[in-house]
Amino acid sequence: MSTSMRAVRLTDHRLVVSEEPLPIPLPGEVLVRVLVVGICETDLQLIQGYMGFRGILGHEFVGVACSGRWSGQRVVGEINCSCHACETCRSGLPNHCPHRTVLGILNHDGAFAEYIAVPERNLHPVPEDVSNSQAVFTEPLAAALQIPAQLPALRGQRVIVLGDGRLGQLCARVLQAEETNLKVIGRHPHKLDLLRPLGIETALESDATPDHSADVVVDCTGTSSGWNAAMEWLRPRGTLVLKTTVAGTQTLNWAPIVINELQVIGSRCGPFVPALKALQQKRVDVEPLISARYPLEAATEAFELVQQRRVLKVLLDVAAE
Amino acid sequence: MSTSMRAVRLTDHRLVVSEEPLPIPLPGEVLVRVLVVGICETDLQLIQGYMGFRGILGHEFVGVACSGRWSGQRVVGEINCSCHACETCRSGLPNHCPHRTVLGILNHDGAFAEYIAVPERNLHPVPEDVSNSQAVFTEPLAAALQIPAQLPALRGQRVIVLGDGRLGQLCARVLQAEETNLKVIGRHPHKLDLLRPLGIETALESDATPDHSADVVVDCTGTSSGWNAAMEWLRPRGTLVLKTTVAGTQTLNWAPIVINELQVIGSRCGPFVPALKALQQKRVDVEPLISARYPLEAATEAFELVQQRRVLKVLLDVAAE
């Protein structure tokens, strides 16, 4: 093992591919040799200044554990590194630990690198019949699966997903598997085209007239226009699920929340075990979402591409198995 | 009965005391001779343009029914006039009827008048031992009681009420009666002084440092600073209750909702029967909230007074019993 590695570092709103020392695992952490990483909307927000993060980006990865229980095996990793000792952790909410670091997001270097240090307890082995290109979707798929984890009675409910991008695509697939009465509203015909073969009803935003009929709206736009549309789509006492962390403030109208006694819930990281199982059982098909792959050295080009509207998931191939 | 009456009409952001024809009850409605009415924050919002209402203002009233089942008796009235036939009504949410009118708020003249027409089924008789000055609080007290109606497991929860005004005072009294672990945070020492004799912990906003410890925050400020403070007070997975309908848009930061997986719920009108019972059983003491009383003719002065920060509830005495 070399003592240095290539990595993608965020400094002052700028990405640089740099030579870095290998991460030094903290107690309880193991080194993971990264194989494939995915670029996420949150990475774009971090570059915009969200969370004030400086360091190595990247939190969607599949790699090979270099030591510990899963040594030599392919693994994916949960991103919240929690203390597991405080009141919040002991109350069953370790993902909300106030002392946590978060891989590639908060005080912990991420996975756009040849190696990443990850708490061993965060790792999950990847089943043999799940490819790297599938496994790299485990983290965002788990985030989508957090919706049924928070709203267990979705079956048969009238659900609208706003947004046909990376996150909207995954949420739609999960909510279709949950047998909801689903419609996805987006702005990109070719992205909506990916959903119809799955039996998912879709509509272009310009063609859809909100009618206060939805039980649940899932906002995957992260914009005030998504919020305002949700207010028009939801029935009284309906639920708006916010999935996107966005930098800065939004101009929102809150009167409809009160008038219609709506519920708004935030939804962040989700459960990895059901995500891996969904991938293994082919219940959620993720590979059609891959728009492009780049080597790690071409990360800045990959980030330029991912900001184009027509593009869905962009992967970085860091190493061969 | 005269064929005309005095009333307070809202026209183009301006209030005028005018001579009006008596309201003509629709089928199912009865005339109520108004005794006392209260001025509410919503009235001030309506004057600012909220809902685009034009007509006779006023929705907090006690009066005497002129006909029907409660003829000659003192009554209070629920404000939502629903069709009781549509899907929403039949699903048990008549307060959310899409065809509803709302007394003094939406397509229905209100109670700042000698007479108001009210659906008979909206009326509740006032127990003998509840005075007019108490009964006029039934509607806003019911709105405060909507909080425990929506969140039934409040006992022992750490609850913070933001705002020491009219609504905050009533919510605090209700939440104290629910045996929550309560703190009220406000900006007016003399208003907070009304709460401490009730055993309620209070703090000036300038002295209180948010610490992500609250299970529930009830916003009674209707301002973005209330929203932002709530984000800082709530524990992960905590609940923000929005009680105030405000005109226009607010500049809000929604990332904390997602990061901390908060729940935001809107809470509007509440149940009248428990409100009347709470008044009758003296479980909620409302009369200390009365800052001033005016005759109906002096309504414009009353509205000037009620906008002053030191003032709580202002009543209009329309008629003697």
Side-chain angles (χ1 to χ4, degrees):
Chain A
M1 197 186 281
S2 162
T3 57
S4 74
M5 66 175 188
R6 304 292 283 172
V8 181
R9 178 170 286 277
L10 173 62
T11 57
D12 301 326
H13 304 274
R14 232 164 42 84
L15 286 182
V16 282
V17 180
S18 59
E19 195 72 18
E20 302 267 346
L22 248 56
I24 300 166
L26 296 173
E29 289 186 348
V30 297
L31 272 195
V32 172
R33 184 166 60 85
V34 177
L35 300 174
V36 183
V37 289
I39 301 176
C40 165
E41 179 61 31
T42 302
D43 297 318
L44 304 180
Q45 293 288 328
L46 290 164
I47 297 172
Q48 300 294 315
Y50 172 63
M51 304 289 289
F53 179 75
R54 296 284 177 277
I56 300 172
L57 277 181
H59 57 276
E60 301 178 358
F61 68 95
V62 54
V64 175
C66 298
S67 63
R69 181 175 174 195
W70 311 112
S71 181
Q73 290 190 47
R74 285 189 309 144
V75 290
V76 290
E78 301 196 39
I79 69 174
N80 296 282
C81 309
S82 310
C83 77
H84 298 284
C86 71
E87 204 182 327
T88 304
C89 284
R90 282 182 289 118
S91 78
L93 297 175
N95 283 354
H96 292 285
C97 173
H99 314 294
R100 73 185 180 278
T101 63
V102 185
L103 304 184
I105 294 175
L106 178 66
N107 296 329
H108 198 304
D109 278 333
F112 293 166
E114 289 179 88
Y115 292 90
I116 179 175
V118 186
E120 185 174 3
R121 65 189 294 166
N122 285 31
L123 296 178
H124 296 264
V126 177
E128 253 186 44
D129 46 354
V130 175
S131 71
N132 291 342
S133 304
Q134 293 167 331
V136 74
F137 283 91
T138 307
E139 197 279 335
L141 180 58
L145 283 160
Q146 181 71 347
I147 301 169
Q150 290 173 285
L151 299 173
L154 282 173
R155 191 173 170 173
Q157 294 262 292
R158 194 174 149 89
V159 178
I160 289 175
V161 171
L162 298 177
D164 51 18
R166 288 175 279 278
L167 184 60
Q169 293 278 341
L170 288 173
C171 290
R173 284 161 168 75
V174 161
L175 292 162
Q176 176 76 351
E178 293 288 323
E179 300 179 29
T180 63
N181 177 356
L182 178 65
K183 174 146 67 176
V184 177
I185 298 173
R187 294 183 177 175
H188 310 92
H190 72 284
K191 293 182 185 175
L192 295 173
D193 283 349
L194 292 173
L195 295 164
R196 276 194 298 279
L198 307 173
I200 296 172
E201 192 186 335
T202 67
L204 274 172
E205 190 191 38
S206 51
D207 298 339
T209 306
D211 61 356
H212 289 289
S213 67
D215 299 301
V216 176
V217 172
V218 178
D219 177 72
C220 297
T221 73
T223 63
S224 50
S225 73
W227 171 289
N228 293 332
M231 298 289 127
E232 300 293 312
W233 277 111
L234 284 167
R235 66 163 172 82
R237 297 273 177 97
T239 298
L240 168 59
V241 180
L242 300 179
K243 278 302 310 178
T244 307
T245 45
V246 278
T249 57
Q250 292 76 43
T251 302
L252 307 173
N253 179 0
W254 95 27
I257 301 180
V258 179
I259 296 171
N260 294 323
E261 297 192 321
L262 303 178
Q263 174 183 231
V264 181
I265 62 169
S267 178
R268 189 168 44 99
C269 299
F272 267 47
V273 171
L276 282 166
K277 193 172 283 179
L279 290 171
Q280 188 177 19
Q281 296 175 343
K282 318 286 178 214
R283 274 189 291 119
V284 177
D285 185 19
V286 292
E287 284 170 295
L289 303 182
I290 301 171
S291 296
R293 322 178 66 117
Y294 286 81
L296 183 66
E297 281 65 27
T300 51
E301 288 154 60
F303 268 87
E304 271 165 36
L305 181 75
V306 85
Q307 290 176 66
Q308 294 181 20
R309 287 175 52 154
R310 65 184 167 81
V311 172
L312 286 165
K313 184 60 80 181
V314 175
L315 301 180
L316 300 178
D317 289 306
V318 182
E321 233 161 289
Chain B
M1 198 186 284
S2 161
T3 56
S4 74
M5 66 174 188
R6 304 292 281 171
V8 182
R9 178 169 284 277
L10 173 62
T11 58
D12 300 326
H13 304 273
R14 232 163 45 82
L15 287 181
V16 283
V17 180
S18 59
E19 196 72 19
E20 302 268 347
L22 249 55
I24 300 165
L26 296 173
E29 290 187 345
V30 298
L31 271 194
V32 172
R33 183 166 61 84
V34 178
L35 301 174
V36 184
V37 288
I39 301 177
C40 165
E41 179 62 31
T42 302
D43 297 319
L44 304 180
Q45 292 288 330
L46 291 164
I47 297 171
Q48 300 295 316
Y50 172 64
M51 303 290 289
F53 180 74
R54 295 286 176 275
I56 300 172
L57 276 182
H59 58 276
E60 300 177 0
F61 68 94
V62 55
V64 175
C66 298
S67 63
R69 181 175 172 195
W70 311 111
S71 182
Q73 291 190 48
R74 285 190 308 145
V75 290
V76 289
E78 302 194 39
I79 69 175
N80 296 283
C81 309
S82 311
C83 77
H84 298 282
C86 71
E87 203 183 328
T88 304
C89 284
R90 283 182 288 117
S91 78
L93 297 174
N95 283 355
H96 291 284
C97 173
H99 314 295
R100 73 187 181 276
T101 64
V102 185
L103 304 183
I105 294 176
L106 177 67
N107 296 330
H108 197 304
D109 277 334
F112 293 167
E114 290 179 90
Y115 292 90
I116 178 175
V118 185
E120 186 175 4
R121 64 188 295 165
N122 286 32
L123 297 177
H124 296 263
V126 177
E128 254 185 43
D129 47 353
V130 175
S131 71
N132 292 341
S133 304
Q134 293 168 329
V136 75
F137 283 91
T138 307
E139 196 279 334
L141 181 58
L145 283 160
Q146 181 71 349
I147 301 169
Q150 290 173 284
L151 299 172
L154 282 173
R155 191 171 171 177
Q157 295 262 291
R158 195 175 148 89
V159 178
I160 289 175
V161 171
L162 297 177
D164 52 17
R166 290 175 278 279
L167 184 60
Q169 293 278 340
L170 288 173
C171 290
R173 284 160 168 75
V174 161
L175 291 163
Q176 177 75 351
E178 293 287 325
E179 300 179 31
T180 63
N181 176 356
L182 178 64
K183 174 145 69 176
V184 177
I185 298 173
R187 294 183 177 176
H188 310 92
H190 72 283
K191 293 182 184 173
L192 295 174
D193 283 348
L194 292 172
L195 295 165
R196 275 192 300 276
L198 307 173
I200 296 171
E201 191 186 337
T202 67
L204 275 172
E205 190 191 39
S206 50
D207 298 338
T209 307
D211 61 356
H212 290 291
S213 66
D215 299 302
V216 176
V217 172
V218 178
D219 178 73
C220 297
T221 73
T223 63
S224 50
S225 72
W227 172 289
N228 293 332
M231 298 289 128
E232 299 292 313
W233 277 110
L234 284 168
R235 66 164 172 81
R237 297 274 177 96
T239 298
L240 167 60
V241 181
L242 298 179
K243 279 302 309 177
T244 307
T245 44
V246 277
T249 56
Q250 292 76 43
T251 301
L252 306 173
N253 180 359
W254 94 28
I257 302 179
V258 179
I259 295 172
N260 295 322
E261 297 193 321
L262 303 177
Q263 174 182 232
V264 181
I265 62 170
S267 177
R268 189 168 43 100
C269 299
F272 267 48
V273 171
L276 282 166
K277 193 171 283 179
L279 290 171
Q280 188 177 19
Q281 296 175 344
K282 318 288 179 212
R283 275 189 289 121
V284 177
D285 186 19
V286 293
E287 283 170 295
L289 303 182
I290 301 171
S291 297
R293 324 179 63 117
Y294 287 81
L296 183 65
E297 281 67 24
T300 50
E301 289 154 61
F303 268 87
E304 272 164 37
L305 182 74
V306 85
Q307 291 176 66
Q308 294 181 19
R309 287 176 50 152
R310 64 185 169 81
V311 172
L312 286 166
K313 185 59 82 180
V314 175
L315 301 180
L316 300 177
D317 289 305
V318 181
E321 234 161 286

